[in-house]
């Protein structure tokens, strides 16, 4: 019974709609129908009253899922790298060049006094140098005891102690070199006397012979120097042959000195004294050099046979 009024109202509404429709159709050509410009929304398109609208969730690209953390490779290119990978932050073990040295390494200014640079030579020791020089002098003095003119031997050779350095070969070469220099000086002096004039017949003959003899001595001493300076110790046979030649030449030079003075045996003059002063010095140096050469030859031969 309650449904009858609702049905009556529905029928009345239909009748009113049928009555209005013909009159409104005439104006449809002049103005568009509201339904054509704005169609009615269908109930299916309207949100259901029982389901309230909820805001749509943000895009997944803007909000990472809580269950899946972002990895560095999934970050967009514009995003900065993590702070642990930033090139501006050095690794923990890095030490800046301007940072101070560790406390275990002392700075150069605080090095101990005993430190010395590997390239800097050690300071010379005066006591060691003095001891070495005294040793060289003692060696020369001991060697000169074997000569006839010991004082002349020591005074002439001691200035060269640092070059001889207790070496028998260098000692013999030095003695022979001093003898050669003295022989050359004597030869020049005697030649000047012969060219000076004012000599007697005997003096002129003796001076001329002496110039020749001293000249031969210079040649013999030069040959001895050349051989003695380059003698080979390893070949004992060759060493003995060279030393034999040197001894022969130095002996010949000593004989030439004596022959020079023999020419003045019957002359008593100032010329004889002047010549004798130079020739005797050469003869004594030659005698000492020969003694040292003989010592060197015998010492080296004993070392070779031992």
């Amino acid at each position: 019974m309650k449904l009858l009024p609702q049905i009556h109202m529905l029928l009345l509404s239909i009748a009113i709609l049928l009555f209005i429709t013909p009159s409104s159709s005439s104006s449809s050509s002049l103005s568009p129908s509201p339904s054509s410009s704005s169609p009615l929304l269908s109930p299916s398109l309207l949100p259901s009253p029982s389901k309230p609208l909820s805001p749509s969730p943000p895009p997944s690209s803007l909000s990472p899922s809580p269950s899946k953390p972002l990895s560095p490779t999934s970050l967009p290119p514009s995003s900065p790298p993590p702070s642990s990978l930033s090139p501006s932050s050095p690794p923990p073990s890095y030490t800046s060049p301007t940072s101070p040295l560790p406390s275990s390494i002392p700075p150069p200014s605080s090095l101990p006094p005993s430190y010395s640079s590997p390239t800097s030579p050690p300071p010379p020791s005066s006591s060691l140098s003095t001891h070495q020089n005294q040793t060289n002098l003692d060696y020369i003095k001991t060697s000169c005891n074997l000569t006839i003119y010991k004082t002349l031997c020591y005074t002439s050779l001691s200035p060269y102690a640092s070059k001889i350095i207790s070496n028998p070969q260098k000692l013999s070469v030095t003695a022979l070199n001093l003898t050669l220099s003295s022989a050359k000086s004597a030869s020049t002096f005697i030649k000047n006397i012969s060219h000076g004039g004012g000599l007697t017949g005997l003096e002129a003959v003796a001076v001329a012979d002496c110039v020749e003899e001293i000249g031969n001595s210079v040649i013999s001493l030069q040959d001895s120097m050349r051989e003695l300076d380059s003698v080979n110790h390893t070949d004992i046979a060759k060493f003995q042959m060279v030393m034999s030649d040197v001894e022969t030449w130095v002996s010949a030079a000593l004989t030439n000195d004596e022959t020079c003075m023999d020419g003045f045996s019957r002359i008593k003059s100032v010329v004889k004294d002047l010549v004798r002063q130079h020739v005797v010095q050469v003869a004594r140096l030659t005698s000492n050099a020969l003694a040292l050469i003989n010592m060197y030859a015998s010492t080296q031969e004993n070392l070779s046979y031992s």
Side-chain angles (χ1 to χ4, degrees):
M1 296 297 291
K2 292 179 180 182
L3 295 174
L4 289 177
Q6 295 180 356
I7 294 174
H8 291 167
M9 291 295 297
L10 180 61
L11 292 176
L12 181 61
S13 299
I14 294 173
I16 295 173
L17 289 174
L18 291 175
F19 177 79
I20 295 174
T21 301
S23 61
S24 60
S25 61
S26 58
S27 59
S28 61
S29 60
L30 299 177
S31 61
S33 173
S35 62
S36 63
S37 59
S38 56
L40 293 177
L41 295 174
S42 64
S44 61
L45 298 177
L46 294 176
S48 174
S50 60
K51 294 181 181 180
L53 293 177
S54 62
S56 60
S60 60
S61 60
L62 299 179
S63 175
S65 174
S67 62
K68 185 178 180 182
L70 289 176
S71 63
T73 56
S74 64
L75 294 175
S78 60
S79 61
S83 60
S84 60
L85 299 179
S86 175
S88 61
S89 61
S93 61
Y94 175 79
T95 303
S96 175
T98 58
S99 61
L101 293 174
S103 59
S104 60
I105 303 177
S109 59
S110 63
L111 290 175
S114 60
Y115 174 81
S116 60
S117 176
T119 58
S120 60
S125 175
S126 58
S127 60
L128 180 61
S129 177
T130 303
H131 176 72
Q132 184 65 35
N133 186 59
Q134 186 61 44
T135 302
N136 295 333
L137 291 174
D138 292 342
Y139 173 76
I140 293 174
K141 186 175 182 179
T142 303
S143 301
C144 288
N145 288 335
L146 303 176
T147 64
I148 298 176
Y149 309 99
K150 298 176 178 58
T151 303
L152 176 62
C153 176
Y154 182 79
T155 56
S156 61
L157 293 174
S158 58
Y160 305 94
S162 60
K163 295 182 179 180
I164 295 172
I165 55 174
S166 303
N167 187 301
Q169 181 187 9
K170 293 182 179 181
L171 178 65
S172 300
V173 170
T174 303
L176 200 57
N177 191 29
L178 292 174
T179 304
L180 177 60
S181 298
S182 181
K184 288 180 178 180
S185 178
S187 176
T188 302
F189 178 78
I190 297 171
K191 285 180 181 179
N192 291 336
I193 291 179
S194 64
H195 297 157
L199 301 175
T200 64
L202 292 176
E203 290 175 344
V205 172
V207 169
D209 291 342
C210 198
V211 169
E212 183 179 356
E213 295 296 335
I214 298 300
N216 293 334
S217 295
V218 171
I219 295 173
S220 297
L221 294 173
Q222 287 174 337
D223 294 340
S224 301
M225 277 285 300
R226 183 176 59 254
E227 292 295 325
L228 189 61
D229 198 25
S230 60
V231 66
N232 185 6
H233 302 96
T234 58
D235 190 347
I236 186 60
K238 187 174 182 180
F239 174 79
Q240 290 176 344
M241 183 181 65
V242 170
M243 294 307 298
S244 178
D245 292 340
V246 171
E247 291 170 347
T248 300
W249 290 328
V250 176
S251 297
L254 182 58
T255 301
N256 292 333
D257 299 338
E258 295 173 352
T259 302
C260 169
M261 290 310 303
D262 290 342
F264 289 92
S265 59
R266 295 181 297 170
I267 300 174
K268 294 181 180 180
S269 64
V270 177
V271 175
K272 176 183 177 179
D273 295 337
L274 292 175
V275 172
R276 186 179 184 278
Q277 181 180 355
H278 285 78
V279 174
V280 166
Q281 180 74 3
V282 174
R284 290 178 178 178
L285 289 173
T286 304
S287 175
N288 289 342
L290 181 59
L292 296 175
I293 291 171
N294 291 336
M295 179 196 70
Y296 167 52
S298 60
T299 302
Q300 193 63 35
E301 288 176 0
N302 292 336
L303 290 176
S304 300
Y305 287 120
S306 60

